[in-house]
Amino acid sequence: MKRANSTEVKEFVFQGFSNFQELQFTLFVVFLALYMLTLAGNVIIVTIIRIDHHLHTPMYFFLSVLSTSETFYSLVIIPRMLSSLVGLNQSISLECCGTQLFFFLGFAITNCLLLAVMGYDRYVAICNPLRYSTVMNWRVCATLTSSVCATGFLFSLVQTVAIFRLSFCSTLIEHFFCDVRPVLDLACATPIINDILTLIISLLAITAPATFLFVSYVLIISTILKIASAEGQKKAFATCASHLTVVIVHYGCASIAYFKPKSENTKDQDQLISVTYTVITPLLNPVVYSLRNKEVQDALRRVVGRKSLS
């Protein structure tokens, strides 16, 4: 690893996927294809929800916000990663690295909290259906969304400022973007307060909403099982299946990435996990909600049919 005097460090260099030199072009093609699918899928979902009045409900409002956030989340990471794979932009200034980390964490934490809000929406819809329209009115939805976004970027600001107040003695980031652990590893010394802060933010952004979702789904499932008809149970489960699938993958990847002990860190493992939550997870949202959600499929058919008739 390159060492340098802390006063001289003005930029970092990404090591990227240097262990896979012979596969760089293949990785570029695969990641580019997945990125284009992610952008197209999320744009389609947001557009369909906006156009079709049948989807003007709190659940799909939150889904459109999540899709928008996922789009910007992937935009922060993937274009630079793709340019790195073809030999461009291997270096990044401290300011740009801090900016990338801020927006990456901001959108990542926002997504985690949004999934918890969507879980609450499903809890109210299934466990308190008669009060649903009162509890989840549009003012509440807007307040929840703005609070989630503000909280996500506040946590991100605190974490980013805490990291970039440190002095750096190394320039080589053993990763393909500016993430918390790879950047902290470049510091001349990492005060214990930074490790504590990282743990606290991880607990608040990952563990707390994941616990809330677990409790919510225990209550949801117990309510569904009390429904007399099998058809009613099936319909109730169907409204949660897409969300639950996204939740399991999203929180699973985030937990592995940020709670894995340092002693178990290996560069290849970290990159594989990072590819999952930066490339695969953003694509999962439109794929799951388009393939497994009948209401979105029906809305897409109506919009396409309307366009063909005109």
Side-chain angles (χ1 to χ4, degrees):
M1 180 178 292
K2 297 178 184 177
R3 307 296 297 182
N5 187 288
S6 61
T7 60
E8 295 178 356
V9 175
K10 295 182 178 180
E11 66 176 23
F12 298 132
V13 178
F14 292 118
Q15 186 166 325
F17 297 90
S18 57
N19 285 0
F20 307 96
Q21 285 288 349
E22 68 283 357
L23 297 174
Q24 297 240 345
F25 180 72
T26 303
L27 290 174
F28 172 81
V29 173
V30 171
F31 292 158
L32 177 62
L34 292 175
Y35 179 55
M36 298 306 293
L37 287 173
T38 299
L39 291 181
N42 281 313
V43 167
I44 288 171
I45 282 186
V46 172
T47 304
I48 291 297
I49 291 173
R50 184 178 179 83
I51 292 175
D52 195 287
H53 70 277
H54 295 90
L55 301 183
H56 291 177
T57 64
M59 182 176 82
Y60 291 107
F61 167 73
F62 292 130
L63 174 59
S64 67
V65 175
L66 180 64
S67 293
T68 303
S69 180
E70 290 278 21
T71 300
F72 285 108
Y73 169 80
S74 59
L75 196 63
V76 171
I77 305 298
I78 300 181
R80 180 171 279 276
M81 180 187 73
L82 292 173
S83 66
S84 179
L85 281 170
V86 293
L88 303 173
N89 294 332
Q90 296 284 0
S91 62
I92 185 171
S93 67
L94 262 69
E95 293 80 8
C96 289
C97 185
T99 302
Q100 185 184 55
L101 180 62
F102 169 72
F103 283 107
F104 163 70
L105 287 177
F107 287 117
I109 296 171
T110 296
N111 293 343
C112 285
L113 299 178
L114 270 173
L115 287 170
V117 169
M118 292 172 75
Y120 175 69
D121 172 74
R122 290 299 82 207
Y123 163 76
V124 176
I126 292 173
C127 298
N128 297 287
L130 297 179
R131 298 183 58 217
Y132 181 70
S133 58
T134 304
V135 174
M136 298 302 294
N137 60 62
W138 288 112
R139 183 176 180 179
V140 170
C141 292
T143 301
L144 286 172
T145 302
S146 57
S147 299
V148 159
C149 293
T151 302
F153 281 93
L154 177 62
F155 285 173
S156 175
L157 180 63
V158 171
Q159 178 74 285
T160 304
V161 170
I163 291 175
F164 281 86
R165 285 171 64 89
L166 302 174
S167 297
F168 298 100
C169 290
S170 302
T171 60
L172 184 64
I173 298 179
E174 295 185 335
H175 208 31
F176 57 87
F177 72 98
C178 293
D179 202 352
V180 175
R181 282 189 177 177
V183 176
L184 277 176
D185 287 342
L186 306 184
C188 301
T190 305
I192 189 66
I193 188 66
N194 283 81
D195 291 328
I196 294 173
L197 179 63
T198 300
L199 178 61
I200 291 173
I201 290 178
S202 298
L203 289 172
L204 292 174
I206 301 173
T207 306
T211 302
F212 175 80
L213 281 165
F214 176 77
V215 174
S216 297
Y217 269 102
V218 168
L219 297 173
I220 287 171
I221 291 171
S222 64
T223 301
I224 291 175
L225 293 176
K226 293 176 184 176
I227 298 175
S229 67
E231 185 63 29
Q233 290 184 354
K234 183 179 178 181
K235 186 176 180 180
F237 272 121
T239 64
C240 300
S242 299
H243 177 253
L244 190 56
T245 302
V246 173
V247 163
I248 291 171
V249 175
H250 191 98
Y251 281 98
C253 291
S255 298
I256 293 171
Y258 291 100
F259 290 115
K260 189 176 65 159
K262 287 185 179 180
S263 59
E264 294 182 15
N265 272 348
T266 67
K267 180 174 177 292
D268 291 343
Q269 280 182 346
D270 286 347
Q271 285 195 337
L272 179 61
I273 295 168
S274 298
V275 165
T276 303
Y277 68 74
T278 56
V279 181
I280 307 299
T281 303
L283 176 61
L284 183 71
N285 185 40
V287 168
V288 168
Y289 276 98
S290 60
L291 294 181
R292 299 195 58 175
N293 190 294
K294 189 175 184 300
E295 288 180 316
V296 173
Q297 292 174 354
D298 291 342
L300 186 57
R301 291 191 194 99
R302 284 192 294 269
V303 171
V304 172
R306 199 183 307 159
K307 293 288 184 183
S308 61
L309 287 174
S310 61

